[in-house]
Amino acid sequence: MLGRTVSHYRILEKLGEGGMGVVYRAEDTRLGREVAIKVLPQHLCGDDEARRRFIQEAKAASALDHPNICTIHEIDETGDGNIFMVMTLYDGSIVRELIAEGPLEAARAADIAAGVARGLERAHARGIVHRDIKPANIMVTRDGQVKIMDFGVAKLANAAAITVMGSSIGTAAYMSPEQAGCAPVDHRTDIWSLGVLLYEMLAGKRPFEGEYDQAVIYAIINTEPAPPSTFRKSVPADLDRVVVKAMAKSPAGRYQSAGEMRAALEACASSVAAGKSCGAGMNGTATYGAGGTQTCASGGAATRVAGGDTQAGAGGARPDGADRRRLPSIAVLPFRDMSPQQDQEYFCEGIAEELLNALVQIEGLRVAARTSSEQFKGRSMDVRAIGRELGVENVLEGSVRKAGDKLRVTAQLIDVENGYHLFSEKYDRTADDIFAIQDEISLAIVDRLKVRLMKGEEAKLVKRHTESEEAYRLYLQGRYFWNRRYEGGLQQGIESFQKAIGIDPKYALPYSGIADCYYDLGWFDFLAPKEAFGKAKMMALKALEMDPELSEAYTSLATAFQYADWDWPVAEASFKRAISLNPNYATAHHLYSLFLAVKGSFDEALSESERAIELDPIQPIIRTTHAFILYLAGRFDDAMERCTALLEFDPDLFCSWTITASVLTELGRFAEAEEALRNATRLAGEEPTLVTGLTGYNLARSGRHEEAREVLGRMIGMRETRYVSAHLIAAVYLVLGESESALEWFGTGFDERDHWSLFTRHIYTAREMLPDPRFQKMLRKMGLYS
């Protein structure tokens, strides 16, 4: 190729080569500049997969105009079928060459990693996952600019994935555990790889090594490397913690976005350069779990590491005055049904849930959320692997066997690190003695974990909400149906809760369960809001009448005051009371985040939402709400990033598709929004009226006004037999340019207590109504305009 002219590029010098291309320095004879040209090797030009990867690299990088991503100018073919791409020629070194000279200084390593994170932020926002972050693919220019190269194995949104049958795509030493295991990946696989890159820059060696790829992959999945400071004492503890968190085995334990990791790295880079800890001099902000924050009184930043446990930063003391020991942590798995009739499923789930609910009351014990543990139900996995996935040190598993009125419950508490049993017990009782069994198991666990019971906590641990086994079973059954979040499941949940109350009218939890079902029936437009939220309020008050200290009931009541009464002070006080009674109740944080979003306090809302995700990282409805808050804040790219990850994580929740459709509409990706709405309908069984409204809005925004008017007419007609949100009708009219009709329907929504009306002023297209005094008057009556 040397000396040859390709198109209008004269090849001057070979710069290097890899498996997917040879790179040359070339002169652009038209513009009189030097460029880099990457040419697909001749022997691969006839390989369809290789050509597709080469073209995909060009498409991915060219779509990402960002200072930290290599610029692609064009892609073309020579007359003899060679395919090439033209890139900016940078004067600098690849990180692999820098590491070969020895470990990098901490400040420089953090600065380079932060540059990579900034580039990944842009890529992830565009739905592109790199999947091959490594030292050979990162360049640092002479003026210190970091450039991400080689998107040849990137995973693009709405593009066929690059795959190789029976193998993983990427470079073994930098693969995340899920990528190495050929499991589905999202943007967090890049965060893992960036953690490995940072480790290698700091330590001068890779965290996972082996003589061949499979040995490396085994190490990635099964071993924990020593922190970089083990090999270089000059590495600050704060950077150690950034590395450990980025390389958490479970994606939920890592930084949840490149932006979150970038912020942590920038803080470390500036602090190290100034000769301070990342936490020194700060007002105590610390990166936690899935993006939440914690305030430290000591001036030392606390960081939640791979296992999710809090450790002190460089300042020494933890904010609560505890020492540096890790908090004991546990996951309670659903118990297995060993009964001959296999008819104790709800009971098995229930005993695990009640144990979990008792254990979360204990100060100094971290408990994985129920939905996080529940994902392993029925899966044949080593308990140690489950513990690592959930980021806990101990796992409780057990079984239930019922024959006649005889009941045997077994419980085993297992140390994740070594697989040893901390205890293994059998409890033979009659079926009406199940509560005593729960008490015994809970107290035994606490004793074995050496957790100090604070004053009054033992009483909390053994609190019984009902003496009736049957009422208890029906309550568990109701929660089982409520968690499905579809109309039929919510109705079945109400029936189960009502039966439980019929057996024990003073049992508080089923009243709260009914309130939650009515709340969701109203939220998803399955029931008119006045009816739904009014009944939710009545049931929540009834629950509190039975038990004035029930966190679930205060949460239910808070949502009722918010949506039924628009009483903001009382609603907020109820949320805060719920959280004070049980700070680990993820649903309280989740629903409080929506309250804050209505008020326009988006930073606080996102913090609460992130706290809910941290407490229950597996629950898709909580992640859906997080994306919805980003949507309301107008951060559509960030919302789309969350939606993409959410749908890869759990594509079977219909409301995940509705928020995805809403975001896609605002991004102008109307055909994709339409497809998302079809998926929502498929999952719901029939088209919910919420989907009908969003369909009309999407059609109107895309300029298909006649079709939008047809949907609009259908929506108005449907209101004779079903609830259809007046707010959604108003939104379609507004996009069609009929502002008076829109205002009239907004008024109807106000009269009907349509909960979507509370979000109106944050919806992008509705903001044009804000100058209208009539619209302001409605907002004022809702307490949302001053």
Side-chain angles (χ1 to χ4, degrees), residues 291-486:
T293 58
Q294 173 106 351
T295 299
C296 306
S298 66
T303 305
R304 188 168 298 267
V305 295
D309 301 312
T310 308
Q311 294 186 335
R318 283 226 337 261
D320 59 3
D323 62 24
R324 296 175 64 98
R325 292 175 300 173
R326 296 179 60 171
L327 295 178
S329 54
I330 187 170
V332 181
L333 301 184
F335 280 37
R336 298 186 306 278
D337 182 7
M338 305 295 288
S339 304
Q341 303 301 319
Q342 291 286 294
D343 58 352
Q344 297 299 306
E345 178 183 4
Y346 296 121
F347 184 79
C348 288
E349 291 184 6
I351 189 172
E353 180 163 349
E354 286 300 298
L355 286 166
L356 186 150
N357 288 339
L359 291 168
V360 296
Q361 305 294 327
I362 301 303
E363 183 177 331
L365 178 63
R366 189 175 61 81
V367 185
R370 176 190 54 76
T371 45
S372 296
S373 300
E374 206 170 52
Q375 67 168 317
F376 298 102
K377 179 181 176 183
R379 290 170 60 181
S380 179
M381 283 182 67
D382 187 286
V383 171
R384 289 172 293 179
I386 293 174
R388 287 192 293 268
E389 181 75 13
L390 293 174
V392 296
E393 297 170 332
N394 306 280
V395 170
L396 179 75
E397 65 170 1
S399 64
V400 174
R401 181 181 179 86
K402 186 178 181 184
D405 65 346
K406 300 298 183 183
L407 187 72
R408 167 171 285 187
V409 178
T410 64
Q412 298 174 328
L413 185 63
I414 299 167
D415 185 316
V416 167
E417 183 176 357
N418 53 36
Y420 292 159
H421 287 66
L422 297 178
F423 79 80
S424 179
E425 300 289 347
K426 292 184 176 65
Y427 302 85
D428 291 307
R429 301 287 191 275
T430 57
D432 59 0
D433 209 15
I434 183 59
F435 302 111
I437 298 172
Q438 288 176 189
D439 298 346
E440 287 181 48
I441 297 173
S442 300
L443 291 169
I445 292 167
V446 173
D447 179 64
R448 294 303 178 97
L449 290 175
K450 308 300 182 188
V451 175
R452 181 168 56 92
L453 284 172
M454 306 300 287
K455 184 178 179 181
E457 286 189 338
E458 184 167 350
K460 289 182 185 177
L461 198 63
V462 298
K463 179 176 180 179
R464 299 179 184 176
H465 294 282
T466 182
E467 297 296 328
S468 168
E469 180 196 348
E470 181 62 13
Y472 173 57
R473 185 189 67 80
L474 286 164
Y475 169 72
L476 297 175
Q477 181 173 300
R479 284 296 180 188
Y480 175 87
F481 287 125
W482 170 70
N483 274 320
R484 299 299 186 263
R485 292 305 205 287
Y486 65 93

Side-chain angles (χ1 to χ4, degrees), residues 106-108 110-111 114 198 236-243 255 261-279 282 301 303:
R108 190 182 189 198
D111 187 60
L198 178 57
D238 301 293
L239 267 179
D240 264 351
R241 287 191 285 270
V242 171
V243 170
Y255 294 102
M261 186 173 179
R262 183 257 309 153
L265 286 164
E266 287 174 346
C268 283
S270 59
S271 297
V272 171
K276 297 184 288 187
S277 161
C278 302
M282 295 176 66
T303 305

Side-chain angles (χ1 to χ4, degrees), residues 542-561:
K542 191 71 174 176
L544 284 173
E545 180 185 324
M546 303 299 165
D547 186 347
E549 301 295 311
L550 192 62
S551 177
E552 290 91 336
Y554 272 105
T555 302
S556 305
L557 185 64
T559 59
F561 276 120

Side-chain angles (χ1 to χ4, degrees), residues 519 523 555 558-559 562-563 568 571-572 575-576 579 585-613 621-630 632-633 758-759 762:
Y519 163 77
W523 177 265
T555 302
T559 59
Q562 177 178 347
Y563 296 108
W568 309 107
E572 184 158 31
F575 275 124
K576 289 182 175 179
I579 291 169
Y585 186 35
T587 299
H589 294 279
H590 159 223
L591 294 174
Y592 184 38
S593 71
L594 282 171
F595 171 90
L596 293 166
V598 169
K599 302 286 283 183
S601 303
F602 292 119
D603 289 343
E604 291 178 75
L606 290 168
S607 179
E608 280 297 315
S609 180
E610 287 161 352
R611 175 63 174 150
I613 293 171
I621 191 70
I622 296 176
R623 292 174 177 269
T624 299
T625 295
H626 193 81
F628 180 60
I629 295 170
L630 289 168
L632 292 172
L758 301 179
F759 301 100
H762 305 307

Side-chain angles (χ1 to χ4, degrees), residues 712-732:
L712 194 56
R714 184 154 56 92
M715 291 169 69
I716 294 171
M718 288 165 64
R719 281 175 60 89
E720 296 181 8
T721 56
R722 300 169 63 188
Y723 179 72
V724 179
S725 167
H727 169 89
L728 292 176
I729 293 174
V732 179

Side-chain angles (χ1 to χ4, degrees), residues 4-12 26-35 37 86:
R4 180 178 171 184
T5 298
V6 178
S7 180
H8 55 282
Y9 302 101
R10 186 163 59 87
I11 307 298
L12 301 176
E27 179 189 4
D28 182 342
T29 57
R30 288 181 182 171
L31 297 179
R33 62 177 178 177
E34 288 194 346
V35 296
I37 288 187
V86 182

